[in-house]
Structure formats: C-alpha cells, structure tokens
Amino acid sequence: MATALLSLSPSRLGLWASVLVLVLVFIKLVGLVLRKQMLAKAMNNFSGPPTHWLFGHAHEIQKTGSLDKVVSWIHQYPSAHQLWLGPFLGFLNIYEPDYVKAVYSRGDPKAADLYDFFLQWIGKGLLVLHGPKWHQHRKLLTPGFHYDVLKPYVAVFAESTNLMLDKWEKKAREDKSFDIFSDVGHMALDTLMKCTFGKGDSGLGQRDSSYYSAISDLTLLAQQRIDSFQFHNDFIYWLTPHGRRFLKACKVAHDHTDQVIRERKEALKDEKEWEKIQKRRHLDFLDILLGAKDDGGVKLSDADLRAEVDTFMFEGHDTTTSGIAWFLYCMARYPEHQKRCREEVQEILGDRDSTQWDDLGKMSYLTMCIKESLRLYPPVPQVYRQLSKPVSFVDGRSLPAGSLISLHIYGLHRNGAVWPDPEVFDPLRFSSENSTRRHPFAFIPFSAGPRNCIGQQFAMNEMKVVTALCLLRFEFSLDHSRLPIMIPQLILRSKNGIHLHLKPLSPDSGKKLC
C-alpha cells in the first residue's frame, strides 16, 4: 500500500490527502452532531434562553454586562436552564441550592470538554484529576493545609502586604485614584512565592514578574478559548496566533516552576540543608510536596510535582487577588461597614503593631463583610462537572450519566429566591444565627462537596490579614467616574480595573504592621 502511494504523482497524492482530510473532518463532525443530540435529549425537560444557531449562548456571555444577563435568566427559568457554548457543547446551568446539592455533594469529575483546555498549562493536578489518583493526591496534599502549617503564614501575608501598602503610600500622595487590581495581584503572587517556594522577603524579582505576566496571559487566553467554540478543537487552536501565545506563556510558567523544583531537590540532597529547612519558622508548600508519601511509601513524580505546584499557583493567586480587590471595592462603596471593620481590628490589636494567628478568629465583623463580598463578587463565578452517574433533582426532573453541568456561583449568590434583597450589601446575613438557618449549598464561593477548594482556609486567612492591614493604613473611597465593569475571566475581574481613592489615616501610617 505504502509503495503504491509513493508511486503516485504529486497531484494524485494531494488529491488523496484532501480526501483523507475531508473524511476525518466528516467523522469528527458526525461525532459532534451525535454528541449534541445526546446532550440536547438529556436536557429535554429543561427550557432555556433562545440560542444562536452557531454561537449558542456564547455571544451573549461574551458581552459586557453578561453577568446581569445570567441573573435575568434566573428570574425566567427557576432552578436551571440549558446553556450552549457554540453549536455542540451544552450544559445544564444550575443556581438553586437543592439542585447544587444533588450534584456537588457527589464527587463527579470536572467537565473534560472545558478543563482539558488547562492541561497544557497546569497538567494533571488536583483541579482536573478524578478517580483513585485524585483521592491519592488529595490525601497527600491535605497535610499542607493543616492549621499548624498555616499559622506561620500570617507573618508571611503581612510582609507581602506591607510591601504593597508602602507602594500605595507613594501613590496616595498624588491625590488621585488608581487601579488596585494589579498591585493586589503582585502582592498575592509575592505571598504565594514565599509560601510555595520559600522565596525571600525582598519582593518579586525579574523572573518572578515574567511569571506573573505569563499567569495573567494564560488566565485571559483560557477564558477566551472557553467562550470561542472555534478554538475548542486542539489541532485548530494550536495553529492560531492565540494558541501559539498560550504555548509561549506556558513555557515561561513551566520553566519557572521547573527551575525552582530542580534547585530545591538539589539542595535537599544535602542532609544539613534538610535539617535547616525543618528548623525554619515555616515549611513551604514545595517542602511538603517533596516529603509527601502515600501508604505504600511512593512519592509524587516530577510531572505530578509540577502539576500540583502550577495548580496551586493558579488557584491560589488569581482567586485571592479577585477576592481581596472586590472586598476593598465593597469597603469603598459602603463606608459605614469599612469604619466598623477598622474599629474592630483596632480594638483587637490594641497597642500591638502586629497581627497574630489568634487575632483572626476574633475578627467576626470583618469576616462577615468578607463573606458578603464573596457572595456578591465570587472569585470563581462558574464551575463545571460531568456526571459519572445519573442524578435526580428535587422537583422530579433528572439527567443521565455523561451530562454536563454548569454551576453558576454568581447566579446562585444573587438568586432572589435564595437571598432576600440579593443586591444589598448586608454582612449580617453571615451572623451565626442567620448562617445556621441557611441552606448549606446556598453560599459556596469555594465550591462544595468532596471536591471543594482544598486551600479555602489558606485563602480566608490571607484575606483577613491583608484586608485588616489595608484598613488600618488607609481609608478607601470610590472614583465615581471610573466604576468597575464586571467581566468573568475564569475569575471575576473588572474590564476597566478597580480604581479607588486612598487616604492615609495618619502621618506615621507608613509604620509597619507585620
């Protein structure tokens, strides 16, 4: 056969190649159509907004104000509705607590149709794994988030925060608003570099700044790929400028992670170096990963190490950035709550100029305000699952195995049937009494069930330390000429940044509070 093909003229070879490509495209198209029919049939009992024949609902989701559009759909379609990203990929979009409980109390895997887009970047880490290997990794990583490990990080959070606040002191003297989002992002990355890799206290170096830029690019590019069905095919995507830019950013991120892991493993060959690490004021995430063993004494492979580090850096950096930035926006928008949070922190610290682990549990009003900001502005507005077995919902409707689920956390948190006056900022929703009465799946900024965010306590502790120190140093107010415009890009961002006015609270406010 091969000899016969080689004997053909170039024009004949070109013709055969064209036929082969057409056959492959036809087979792929048939597969997509059959998959669409299966997904559509599965959701036959659920209606939804009108779809575009080619873009589905993607053209609506990509518009400015798309989150408000989702909330309007919630009013029209109680509990759930169909959501199509392009002509072939259909999800059941859910935003009602009992519906969420039916799916997220189980351990169904993430929807590979979308999360596979991250594989080139973060590899097969905890975010995308499922089955026995997910359980193995979750068990190995859990000790890294024990409170004994988290306690020393309070000082690390404060160190990075004060670097940012010193920068803000200079900006505040110019007496004009500025975008806080990128500065918070650099601070969050600086914190993670210290907690993950044991970096020094001098802030980000040039290589780290390149890493930050690469992560920002990857986040934006990944969201654009999800929203653009023409980029869903790997072969087509990697040929586009968009895909090549993604691969270039991946290389920067991977080179950074690989170098740090390589340097650490080399250092740990020296027993004295290992003893020195054990005596440090805190173990970093990489130390814990390198020392982790399963019940059989098997350690993580190099590929697994990189995947988990890249996953932790992605999930722990951008999400925290979003949470802190939107919280400060809420404080600027609601000065009466800002004042009360500040007074609480001042009362807890007293004459001390440091934040301690035991302080965090006493910051009850600050914590309620943080939770209310996470309700209104969840860092991850939407997550996806693929059903591994059928599910039945409380109203009698059901979905078969293989169906795709979109949990719209932003929609759930602003669902008027769940939250009275959902657009009102009311921290008392999270008082002990009100929290006890609420459905356990009504508030899930860190997802829910067995696959919830393993680092949620780390994130909450960081948010408390950072926001407390920010409120002690500055008074925040809105720039009414540049109000933020929400856009979902894997995390909740603002299209035009988050511009705030900052006013130093005292002449000596540059004093360190760490």
Side-chain angles (χ1 to χ4, degrees):
M1 180 68 178
T3 306
L5 285 173
L6 289 173
S7 65
L8 294 174
S9 65
S11 59
R12 286 263 184 170
L13 280 173
L15 180 61
W16 276 104
S18 299
V19 170
L20 179 61
V21 168
L22 287 173
V23 169
L24 292 174
V25 168
F26 178 75
I27 292 172
K28 179 69 174 177
L29 188 60
V30 169
L32 290 171
V33 170
L34 291 175
R35 177 90 188 285
K36 176 182 179 175
Q37 290 176 345
M38 183 274 288
L39 293 172
K41 183 180 178 181
M43 295 189 289
N44 195 42
N45 290 327
F46 299 89
S47 56
T51 60
H52 186 277
W53 70 273
L54 183 61
F55 300 111
H57 298 109
H59 66 304
E60 291 283 356
I61 293 171
Q62 292 171 358
K63 291 178 181 176
T64 300
S66 64
L67 291 169
D68 292 332
K69 174 65 74 174
V70 170
V71 173
S72 73
W73 288 342
I74 289 172
H75 297 151
Q76 292 178 255
Y77 308 97
S79 303
H81 67 72
Q82 294 187 25
L83 181 70
W84 289 88
L85 302 180
F88 304 115
L89 194 57
F91 294 80
L92 182 67
N93 195 35
I94 63 175
Y95 33 77
E96 193 278 329
D98 283 319
Y99 265 63
V100 176
K101 180 181 178 181
V103 176
Y104 282 77
S105 59
R106 317 185 325 180
D108 295 277
K110 300 293 178 71
D113 296 83
L114 297 183
Y115 285 92
D116 279 0
F117 296 160
F118 298 95
L119 290 179
Q120 192 72 29
W121 170 13
I122 61 175
K124 292 188 176 181
L126 207 56
L127 178 66
V128 296
L129 283 174
H130 58 89
K133 192 162 186 180
W134 176 84
H135 284 284
Q136 179 204 28
H137 280 224
R138 180 87 179 197
K139 188 175 180 180
L140 288 173
L141 268 61
T142 296
F145 298 95
H146 189 273
Y147 78 94
D148 283 336
V149 175
L150 298 179
K151 281 174 73 171
Y153 288 164
V154 170
V156 179
F157 299 153
E159 288 166 359
S160 297
T161 303
N162 279 309
L163 289 172
M164 176 182 73
L165 297 181
D166 289 343
K167 186 190 301 183
W168 283 1
E169 287 278 350
K170 297 174 184 176
K171 291 185 176 183
R173 292 192 198 113
E174 298 176 12
D175 198 28
K176 60 182 180 181
S177 71
F178 58 89
D179 179 17
I180 66 166
F181 205 97
S182 60
D183 288 338
V184 172
H186 277 86
M187 179 277 300
L189 178 59
D190 185 44
T191 296
L192 274 186
M193 299 298 278
K194 293 168 184 174
C195 296
T196 307
F197 300 128
K199 290 282 183 178
D201 302 335
S202 57
L204 299 180
Q206 179 59 43
R207 185 162 60 97
D208 302 329
S209 294
S210 298
Y211 179 79
Y212 172 78
S213 297
I215 296 297
S216 298
D217 283 349
L218 288 166
T219 302
L220 173 61
L221 292 167
Q223 182 63 50
Q224 289 175 343
R225 187 179 183 191
I226 288 172
D227 291 341
S228 306
F229 80 91
Q230 65 270 29
F231 288 156
H232 287 185
N233 180 272
D234 283 344
F235 179 77
I236 294 173
Y237 183 66
W238 302 130
L239 292 177
T240 67
H242 195 285
R244 290 195 295 271
R245 185 179 162 199
F246 188 91
L247 290 175
K248 184 178 179 181
C250 279
K251 186 177 187 311
V252 173
H254 292 164
D255 287 350
H256 181 279
T257 305
D258 288 343
Q259 182 171 340
V260 175
I261 293 174
R262 191 165 53 248
E263 290 170 354
R264 180 63 55 82
K265 292 183 82 170
E266 193 63 34
L268 292 181
K269 290 178 181 178
D270 186 339
E271 288 186 17
K272 291 182 179 179
E273 183 66 24
W274 175 245
E275 290 175 9
K276 193 188 301 181
I277 287 172
Q278 295 280 53
K279 292 176 182 177
R280 276 200 323 237
R281 58 179 176 163
H282 70 270
L283 285 177
D284 58 51
F285 186 63
L286 184 55
D287 294 329
I288 293 166
L289 287 181
L290 287 168
K293 298 178 183 177
D294 65 15
D295 295 336
V298 179
K299 291 188 173 185
L300 293 171
S301 67
D302 286 348
D304 288 339
L305 271 173
R306 186 172 84 176
E308 294 302 353
V309 168
D310 284 340
T311 297
F312 183 57
M313 293 299 292
F314 160 59
E315 292 200 277
H317 158 237
D318 259 359
T319 52
T320 307
T321 299
S322 177
I324 292 170
W326 285 108
F327 171 84
L328 293 176
Y329 165 74
C330 287
M331 292 295 95
R333 186 175 178 182
Y334 306 105
E336 68 277 17
H337 297 298
Q338 178 182 170
K339 182 174 182 288
R340 188 167 171 183
C341 286
R342 183 180 295 111
E343 289 171 349
E344 179 184 68
V345 174
Q346 289 171 336
E347 184 179 344
I348 291 169
L349 292 185
D351 295 330
R352 289 188 288 113
D353 62 356
S354 63
T355 51
Q356 299 172 356
W357 173 263
D358 292 339
D359 296 331
L360 304 186
K362 301 172 185 176
M363 297 176 179
S364 57
Y365 198 77
L366 178 69
T367 302
M368 288 192 293
C369 286
I370 289 173
K371 288 182 177 180
E372 179 67 343
S373 74
L374 290 174
R375 181 187 71 83
L376 285 167
Y377 304 98
V380 181
Q382 196 171 8
V383 291
Y384 308 89
R385 292 280 195 274
Q386 181 166 357
L387 298 183
S388 56
K389 56 185 179 181
V391 64
S392 295
F393 297 110
V394 67
D395 58 8
R397 292 184 289 184
S398 62
L399 284 177
S403 300
L404 300 177
I405 296 287
S406 158
L407 165 55
H408 211 289
I409 297 175
Y410 181 93
L412 170 68
H413 287 181
R414 296 195 184 221
N415 187 340
V418 180
W419 302 90
D421 301 317
E423 301 299 324
V424 174
F425 186 88
D426 180 11
L428 292 180
R429 299 179 199 272
F430 294 95
S431 67
S432 297
E433 182 183 357
N434 288 332
S435 295
T436 302
R437 293 201 300 255
R438 189 166 48 247
H439 194 295
F441 286 81
F443 176 68
I444 51 171
F446 299 103
S447 193
R451 292 194 66 121
N452 67 353
C453 174
I454 193 174
Q456 59 183 287
Q457 195 57 52
F458 177 97
M460 282 298 294
N461 291 345
E462 182 177 3
M463 286 190 71
K464 289 181 187 181
V465 173
V466 174
T467 56
L469 296 181
C470 286
L471 293 174
L472 286 173
R473 290 272 290 267
F474 296 99
E475 181 181 292
F476 296 84
S477 58
L478 296 178
D479 181 345
H480 290 280
S481 67
R482 307 175 83 174
L483 295 177
I485 301 169
M486 287 184 291
I487 51 169
Q489 290 182 353
L490 300 186
I491 63 157
L492 189 63
R493 293 180 180 270
S494 169
K495 184 178 181 180
N496 56 336
I498 298 180
H499 289 80
L500 301 178
H501 290 284
L502 273 64
K503 177 185 175 184
L505 287 173
S506 64
D508 61 340
S509 60
K511 181 180 178 182
K512 299 275 189 198
L513 289 161
C514 58

